[in-house]
Amino acid sequence: MPNTNSRVARPRRTERRGAALGAILAALVALTPATALAGRIRYTVAPGDTLGRIADEYNVTPAQIRRWNSLRTDGIRAGQQLTIYTSGGSGERVRETYTVRSGDSGLSIARRLRVAFRDLERWNPNRNMDRLSPGDRIYYYVDDGGSDAQGRGTPQRGRLRNPTQLVSANGFVVASAERAWGTDLTVGALTTGLADVQSH
């Protein structure tokens, strides 16, 4: 006869928490391409751009950019318009003009515009950034439109546009709030997963 005093083994609390954390990671890893590439950027090619450089910036591949734009080769030219699908909101990358003021330098302009000095040099190949005069025109490129958070580049070499901050909530505390930023999708998945862990 079966032992009526035996009990059905229940998973320990630590095992349940481990399973919940595993579900969080699975949700983040299993993002489908349709979800990850929900936004669209209209990209204006800048001087010195290559398909590889653009692909790295938006965390896509050169082959994808070629396919989205019906390109037969990797050859692109400054001023050309490209369509790029991204993990964030839609928008447009456009060229802007900055007029040099008295006392400006290439480095101070780069800091004011929040761009890399090397990019400023690349975008203005015919301009000596060490010898600027008031009235000179400097070209730079910015993202215009799209309010959703967007991840750019690889995890080690990327950056965020319009990021969402992960804040402390019931059951968990964010130790370094100034570093706890991500896309809406990532922060939402983490918040939901942490709430599920607390409920167990």
Side-chain angles (χ1 to χ4, degrees):
M1 293 182 64
N3 184 359
T4 57
N5 293 326
S6 64
R7 295 183 178 180
V8 177
R10 295 184 178 181
R12 296 178 180 177
R13 186 170 183 175
T14 54
E15 292 174 347
R16 293 198 302 270
R17 287 198 173 198
L21 288 173
I24 295 172
L25 294 176
L28 293 174
V29 172
L31 297 175
T32 64
T35 300
L37 301 177
R40 185 177 69 177
I41 296 293
R42 193 67 176 161
Y43 185 97
T44 301
V45 177
D49 271 348
T50 64
L51 276 194
R53 181 192 295 270
I54 297 170
D56 286 344
E57 180 174 355
Y58 289 92
N59 200 22
V60 295
T61 66
Q64 287 175 308
I65 297 177
R66 288 198 305 270
R67 185 172 70 250
W68 296 330
N69 295 276
S70 301
L71 301 176
R72 294 184 177 180
T73 69
D74 286 356
I76 53 177
R77 66 184 185 282
Q80 184 175 353
Q81 298 285 314
L82 298 175
T83 296
I84 301 173
Y85 293 92
T86 73
S87 59
S90 298
E92 186 174 7
R93 187 174 189 263
V94 297
R95 189 178 82 165
E96 299 283 357
T97 302
Y98 176 86
T99 302
V100 177
R101 309 169 188 172
S102 178
D104 275 345
S105 68
L107 285 173
S108 69
I109 294 171
R111 284 194 293 266
R112 181 178 292 117
L113 301 178
R114 297 185 179 181
V115 299
F117 178 70
R118 64 180 178 275
D119 285 337
L120 212 55
E121 289 184 308
R122 178 169 59 87
W123 295 333
N124 297 272
N126 298 321
R127 180 74 64 189
N128 185 338
M129 302 304 292
D130 294 324
R131 295 184 178 180
L132 298 175
S133 300
D136 287 347
R137 291 186 174 185
I138 302 297
Y139 299 112
Y140 64 104
Y141 292 78
V142 297
D143 293 319
D144 181 33
S147 59
D148 293 338
Q150 298 179 25
R152 296 285 175 80
T154 63
Q156 289 77 30
R157 299 180 58 190
R159 67 181 189 275
L160 284 169
R161 175 177 175 268
N162 298 328
T164 298
Q165 188 172 30
L166 178 65
V167 297
S168 300
N170 184 29
F172 69 92
V173 175
V174 176
S176 300
E178 68 278 2
R179 300 178 62 186
W181 297 88
T183 64
D184 295 337
L185 190 63
T186 302
V187 172
L190 285 171
T191 303
T192 301
L194 289 168
D196 186 53
V197 170
Q198 295 300 321
S199 68
H200 292 81

